[in-house]
Amino acid sequence: MRTRRPAIALLALALMAAGCGSSTQSAGSENATISYAIWDKNDQASAEKIIAAFQQANPKVTVKLEITPWAQYWTKLQTAASGGTAPDVFWMNSLNVRMYAKGGVIAPLDESKADGLPTAVVDGYRYDGKLYGLPHNVNVPALWYDKKVFDSAGVKYPTADWTWADVQSAAKKLTDPAKGQYGIMAPMWDQAAFYNTMLQAGGRVLSPDGKKSGFDEPGSIQGLEFWTNLIKEKSAPAAEVYNDTDPIQLFQSGKYGMQYGGSWLASTYWNNPEIRERVDVVPLPKGPQGRGVVVIGTANAVSAKSEHPEASKAFAEFVVSQQAQQILSDSGGGAVSGREGTQESWFKAFPTFHLKEVFDVAASDGVPYPVSLNTAQWQDAQQKLLAEAWAGRRPTADVAKEIAARMNEILAKE
């Protein structure tokens, strides 16, 4: 499951006229056909079952599912939104929700429908005192590892008690240049990797009020250096290795011992019989200041210009109901349901993966994904500059300080 930024800028959305409707709990009394857009084919089966259950309870409403791959999803959505033809209900992430809300593309939703959902995830969908997305799943970062690589090197498997020092030590032992084997992967992943290590060293991405960057703080720099040092010490491959091959595919090659990655990788790895037997997962290792875990989840947003606002809001609310959340969990798709009491069957769908332990830890240590109004804009600067540090062309501390300066310029204009 993808949760990061789209490939295009969203600034134009801020210029759109608002057209938000009021919240409602009724699907309406008239016949209606509404569209539902998602990006992950791994969740098609659960989405279809949820739609069927909703339609059974609301026979006058027909929901048509649209699946657009992540690579095209945001471009297609922005084009549709600009023309006033966005899907009635569609997947939204916390990175983009503020821009779509300010642009009047999406309607505010009933806060009470989010009761019982993870606070760290729900908070990511608030803007200007209103809620603009109902999160239906939860994704947390974790440490995936290849048992076969560990066994061949005689290294003990990771545990929930691991620290950065354990990761660094194991990565060195697992690295074997003769085999082209590395102890750990180090792609520039934010939510799954370096945002967490920044927190774990006492740093932060944004100030609590979202007006100032935290990249230049000592803890943030230390959290970034955790990764660049692994590359420098050759326990992780050079940054360019990820240019041609997706890190998820690389990890399945059997040449890497560990990978920081999201819980959403469970379905991908489980669906590969060979990989299923080789990999397992544990909670993120602790850093010098603890175990900060950036929690994120996909939400359903409702178009402010929907011709059927009552039916659309009723469907978005149904997706986070106990009944629908249980359907999502039972389907064993790309992400675990967000509502407590519905998640056990999802864990059981991957019986050899220690996913419940991962989520239990995140429940106490989870924090929202850091966002502001123009997140995509400052993240573009973040990624371009970090590439210099990951490639070893500039000191990580210097890059982090420049990121902070660029971010502060952008944040000052919000």
Side-chain angles (χ1 to χ4, degrees):
M1 161 164 273
R2 306 282 184 172
T3 50
R4 249 188 59 77
R5 66 184 186 281
I8 58 176
L10 296 173
L11 297 179
L13 291 173
L15 303 177
M16 297 181 185
C20 300
S22 60
S23 299
T24 180
Q25 295 186 27
S26 170
S29 58
E30 298 180 354
N31 292 330
T33 297
I34 62 174
S35 53
Y36 180 38
I38 71 175
W39 64 66
D40 195 341
K41 198 167 181 62
N42 285 330
D43 283 313
Q44 179 177 353
S46 61
E48 290 175 343
K49 291 175 183 176
I50 290 171
I51 288 171
F54 175 78
Q55 291 178 157
Q56 184 177 10
N58 300 273
K60 290 189 175 183
V61 182
T62 299
V63 182
K64 292 189 174 181
L65 182 65
E66 301 173 358
I67 304 176
T68 302
W70 171 265
Q72 294 85 42
Y73 182 86
W74 294 101
T75 303
K76 181 178 178 180
L77 179 60
Q78 188 186 29
T79 300
S82 298
T85 60
D88 295 286
V89 184
F90 52 91
W91 276 9
M92 175 56 61
N93 61 15
S94 57
L95 187 152
N96 296 305
V97 68
R98 287 160 178 75
M99 190 62 69
Y100 277 84
K102 183 179 181 181
V105 177
I106 52 180
L109 300 170
D110 186 349
E111 282 265 357
S112 69
K113 302 303 179 182
D115 291 348
L117 300 175
T119 301
V121 181
V122 174
D123 285 348
Y125 289 94
R126 289 199 174 90
Y127 172 70
D128 198 25
K130 298 178 181 179
L131 186 67
Y132 283 89
L134 288 172
H136 64 277
N137 62 33
V138 183
N139 290 287
V140 302
L143 177 65
W144 291 89
Y145 63 96
D146 190 321
K147 292 184 285 187
K148 186 175 180 180
V149 175
F150 273 77
D151 289 342
S152 64
V155 178
K156 292 183 178 180
Y157 297 159
T159 69
D161 297 324
W162 264 32
T163 65
W164 284 10
D166 294 310
V167 174
Q168 293 160 336
S169 175
K172 288 181 180 179
K173 296 175 183 176
L174 296 171
T175 299
D176 187 342
K179 296 180 179 179
Q181 178 176 295
Y182 292 90
I184 192 168
M185 303 181 71
M188 285 194 305
W189 283 354
D190 51 28
Q191 188 252 342
F194 64 80
Y195 279 179
N196 302 285
T197 52
M198 289 168 69
L199 290 172
Q200 291 164 7
R204 57 188 175 180
V205 178
L206 282 172
S207 60
D209 62 6
K211 295 182 179 180
K212 188 175 185 299
S213 172
F215 266 82
D216 54 351
E217 296 180 4
S220 298
I221 294 171
Q222 185 179 4
L224 293 170
E225 289 176 338
F226 172 82
W227 296 102
T228 54
N229 286 341
L230 286 168
I231 298 171
K232 188 183 302 183
E233 295 165 1
K234 302 190 184 303
S235 293
E240 55 263 27
V241 74
Y242 312 109
N243 291 343
D244 299 323
T245 308
D246 185 87
I248 298 171
Q249 294 180 342
L250 283 173
F251 184 66
Q252 296 178 76
S253 69
K255 296 290 187 181
Y256 301 89
M258 294 175 286
Q259 172 193 37
Y260 276 53
S263 55
W264 61 85
L265 294 174
S267 60
T268 298
Y269 293 157
W270 189 262
N271 289 333
N272 184 331
E274 180 185 352
I275 302 303
R276 177 192 307 174
E277 301 300 322
R278 283 190 4 219
V279 307
D280 201 353
V281 63
V282 294
L284 287 184
K286 297 177 183 178
Q289 299 298 320
R291 195 193 327 252
V293 179
V294 178
V295 180
I296 201 166
T298 305
N300 286 296
V302 174
S303 171
K305 298 183 182 298
S306 172
E307 294 181 0
H308 305 287
E310 292 185 14
S312 298
K313 289 184 178 180
F315 177 67
E317 293 170 357
F318 179 79
V319 177
V320 299
S321 68
Q322 188 82 10
Q323 179 184 357
Q325 291 280 279
Q326 191 62 61
I327 292 172
L328 176 62
S329 182
D330 292 346
S331 300
V336 68
S337 57
R339 193 167 291 282
E340 188 176 353
T342 66
Q343 300 171 336
E344 193 63 33
S345 59
W346 188 83
F347 298 139
K348 290 180 179 178
F350 314 103
T352 62
F353 296 166
H354 289 79
L355 289 160
K356 188 176 188 309
E357 186 177 37
V358 169
F359 277 84
D360 286 345
V361 167
S364 58
D365 294 323
V367 299
Y369 186 84
V371 291
S372 68
L373 181 62
N374 292 327
T375 312
Q377 189 176 4
W378 56 256
Q379 279 195 344
D380 281 336
Q382 164 195 292
Q383 294 301 102
K384 289 174 182 176
L385 288 166
L386 280 181
E388 296 291 299
W390 252 247
R393 290 190 289 268
R394 293 180 59 191
T396 304
D398 291 353
V399 168
K401 291 173 184 177
E402 184 173 350
I403 291 172
R406 293 282 296 278
M407 281 180 66
N408 287 333
E409 291 175 1
I410 295 167
L411 292 168
K413 296 176 183 178
E414 291 188 353

